[in-house]
Amino acid sequence: MKNTIKIMMAALTLVFAMSLTTGVTAEAKAYKAKTVTVTKGKSKTIKTSRKIKKVKISSKNKNFKVKKTAAKKFKVSKTDKGKKQTVKVTYTNKNTQTFKITTKAAKKTKKSIPSYAKKIVKELKPLLADPDKGLQTALAGWLKRLNPRKSLTYKFKLGNWKYGLGASISSLTVEEVLKTYTTSQKKALILEVYLRQRMSYSYANEGKYCHTRFRGENPNPYFKKLYNGAFKGVCSDGARMAYDICRYLGIKAKCVSSDDLDHEWACIWAKGKNGTSYWHGIYTTSYPYSMKASIPAGDNGEILLTEAQVKKYVCSPNASTHFMALKRKIINKPTPKPTVTPAPTIKPTVTPAQTPTGTQGQRIVIPFAEHQYTCPGCSVPYRHKSSNNPYITNGITEVGSYKVYKHSTPTGIRYFDANGNEYIDINHNGFITDELETLSNV
């Protein structure tokens, strides 16, 4: 009987002990945390040594994504550099593990420079390294391209104009520029002269370089044209080409455009002799404006302004500064005899029909009696200012005693004085000031 009782007590003890352990699972544990490095802008797949049950973001920063992609893999994407971001993985064995995400910056890869852009940069670097000599060399190259004849030559002057290319403010000789301009201003002029002598304004080639650039296509054929002096396009094409050349040279530059003005131009960072920094306009296929340092930053060096903003940020009074190539007759004065006093030379009065000619013998001025054109109205930004005179608009250009008005017509910009005589942009560079300067010096 005693033995039976002992056996029953042992069985009860065993049952009680088993009841204490039945249904209790071992406590889940966390494996050692791991650090994973991800490149900014890229995703990364992480492989684990155990089967994954689920993954989730466990940091406060939830601006990235995590996703289980296989039994032992998960992927993180859109992570942020400099932020604390972590992922918690729960395995099928119910244990967990934390993965700390470290995002590093992507390596900057240098874009290959097109072969002809390299040649252009190679030519410009020595000119920019010695601005005084470089400017004279660039101007000498331009003179050679102008191909002066035995009886004609060209004289370069640096002109300054008000906003709208209105009244001419002043002009400087090359010697005065070399003496008074700062190093950065001379570099801006070197770029202008180098580019301008290799470019020309052309409606037929409107937007070709810009479209190639926008689509990410090979721009080298256009750099080849520039290198060979045959680049053609409208204001935006020349401006973007200048901006790209400046980037290859490591020069701080901007592209400024205005839909209101239907115009675009390039600028580079410069400092005047008074110590004030500003954006110096670069003449390419068309005229530029210089802008104040306070101009908005824009996107990747490209900025779009309203006409009101252009007026706010344009430099004053010298809104536009660029070189003019003025044609001059070479006069070989005879050696006077000792006893003979030469008769005084009387300068003839110039009438429109007798005005100097430009390329291919084209006259600068066509009298009203010949063209009989009456402007019916202009598109913006030019507007007629006189109800009695169809030739007077708000687009005024003055050089010396000459005052002409701009008219925006379906065929392009045309210029007339108040008497209806038409002035021709014979070199097709987009403005009339150099032709008026030629007339003023006749």
Side-chain angles (χ1 to χ4, degrees):
M1 186 68 178
K2 288 181 178 181
N3 289 335
T4 301
I5 294 172
K6 286 180 179 180
I7 291 171
M8 291 178 66
M9 291 295 292
L12 288 171
T13 302
L14 180 61
V15 171
F16 179 72
M18 289 178 65
S19 69
L20 292 175
T21 59
T22 301
V24 176
T25 57
E27 186 177 340
K29 66 177 182 178
Y31 297 118
K32 185 179 179 180
K34 286 188 176 182
T35 298
V36 176
T37 302
V38 182
T39 301
K40 181 176 173 59
K42 295 184 178 181
S43 61
K44 186 168 185 176
T45 297
I46 297 99
K47 187 177 181 180
T48 64
S49 58
R50 302 169 184 83
K51 288 186 177 181
I52 300 169
K53 182 179 180 181
K54 64 178 181 178
V55 292
K56 70 174 184 177
I57 295 170
S58 57
S59 59
K60 291 182 179 179
N61 185 304
K62 294 178 171 56
N63 293 329
F64 69 109
K65 293 182 178 181
V66 59
K67 181 181 180 182
K68 177 184 173 182
T69 56
K72 294 183 178 181
K73 292 180 181 179
F74 68 94
K75 183 173 76 172
V76 293
S77 59
K78 297 185 178 180
T79 59
D80 296 325
K81 186 176 180 295
K83 302 292 184 180
K84 291 182 179 180
Q85 297 175 318
T86 56
V87 173
K88 185 178 181 180
V89 176
T90 302
Y91 296 108
T92 54
N93 64 5
K94 299 183 180 179
N95 293 338
T96 61
Q97 189 170 21
T98 298
F99 289 81
K100 298 177 180 178
I101 311 300
T102 299
T103 305
K104 66 177 182 179
K107 289 184 178 179
K108 290 184 178 180
T109 55
K110 288 186 177 180
K111 290 184 178 180
S112 58
I113 301 178
S115 60
Y116 274 93
K118 284 183 180 178
K119 292 183 178 184
I120 294 167
V121 168
K122 187 177 180 180
E123 286 190 343
L124 278 167
K125 279 188 173 180
L127 300 179
L128 297 168
D130 185 350
D132 281 6
K133 183 179 178 182
L135 181 56
Q136 294 176 80
T137 301
L139 287 169
W142 191 7
L143 180 61
K144 187 176 180 180
R145 286 178 184 272
L146 290 171
N147 192 25
R149 292 175 286 174
K150 290 182 180 180
S151 60
L152 295 172
T153 188
Y154 292 87
K155 182 178 181 180
F156 295 107
K157 277 192 175 183
L158 187 71
N160 296 295
W161 286 270
K162 292 180 180 178
Y163 174 71
L165 292 185
S168 149
I169 299 171
S170 63
S171 63
L172 300 172
T173 63
V174 175
E175 291 73 21
E176 289 170 330
V177 171
L178 293 172
K179 184 178 179 180
T180 61
Y181 266 48
T182 66
T183 296
S184 58
Q185 287 176 318
K186 290 172 187 174
K187 287 182 178 181
L189 295 176
I190 289 170
L191 287 167
E192 173 198 315
V193 174
Y194 182 92
L195 295 171
R196 187 174 170 189
Q197 64 182 279
R198 290 166 171 81
M199 294 180 167
S200 60
Y201 192 92
S202 169
Y203 275 116
N205 292 274
E206 180 181 4
K208 288 185 177 180
Y209 178 71
C210 288
H211 293 156
T212 296
R213 188 177 182 268
F214 177 76
R215 291 191 293 259
E217 297 172 355
N218 179 23
N220 205 43
Y222 292 96
F223 287 110
K224 182 178 180 180
K225 289 179 183 291
L226 179 66
Y227 183 76
N228 292 324
F231 181 89
K232 294 181 180 181
V234 294
C235 57
S236 56
D237 297 300
R240 299 300 173 100
M241 174 64 82
Y243 175 72
D244 289 340
I245 292 296
C246 287
R247 287 194 302 114
Y248 294 141
L249 285 164
I251 292 175
K252 190 176 177 182
K254 274 186 184 293
C255 251
V256 185
S257 62
S258 173
D259 290 341
D260 293 347
L261 300 178
D262 190 24
H263 191 45
E264 185 166 347
W265 62 98
C267 303
I268 74 163
W269 188 248
K271 182 179 287 188
K273 61 183 179 181
N274 61 355
T276 301
S277 295
Y278 68 103
W279 294 98
H280 187 103
I282 303 296
Y283 194 114
T284 53
T285 51
S286 189
Y287 64 90
Y289 288 124
S290 292
M291 310 301 289
K292 296 175 183 176
S294 56
I295 189 174
D299 184 19
N300 294 322
E302 299 178 11
I303 179 170
L304 177 65
L305 301 178
T306 63
E307 183 177 4
Q309 287 175 313
V310 173
K311 290 179 178 179
K312 176 182 177 180
Y313 293 110
V314 73
C315 287
S316 181
N318 293 350
S320 187
T321 299
H322 44 267
F323 270 109
M324 301 174 290
L326 307 175
K327 190 178 289 186
R328 293 285 183 268
K329 285 186 178 181
I330 298 174
I331 300 175
N332 297 316
K333 293 182 179 181
T335 304
K337 295 180 180 180
T339 55
V340 178
T341 302
T345 301
I346 301 174
K347 188 175 180 180
T349 301
V350 179
T351 63
Q354 298 171 328
T355 53
T357 58
T359 55
Q360 301 177 351
Q362 186 178 6
R363 284 179 293 160
I364 295 177
V365 185
I366 308 298
F368 170 75
E370 290 186 25
H371 65 74
Q372 294 286 319
Y373 177 80
T374 301
C375 185
C378 291
S379 57
V380 292
Y382 307 119
R383 301 174 182 86
H384 284 245
K385 303 289 288 184
S386 172
S387 58
N388 300 321
N389 192 325
Y391 300 105
I392 297 177
T393 70
N394 63 333
I396 304 170
T397 299
E398 287 184 81
V399 175
S401 60
Y402 289 88
K403 183 175 183 179
V404 300
Y405 302 91
K406 298 180 186 179
H407 297 250
S408 182
T409 73
T411 58
I413 303 299
R414 294 177 70 173
Y415 306 88
F416 297 88
D417 61 22
N419 297 317
N421 301 311
E422 182 169 10
Y423 292 70
I424 308 300
D425 177 14
I426 56 177
N427 56 12
H428 305 292
N429 63 358
F431 73 111
I432 200 69
T433 46
D434 46 359
E435 284 81 9
L436 297 184
E437 186 79 21
T438 299
L439 293 174
S440 296
N441 287 278
V442 171

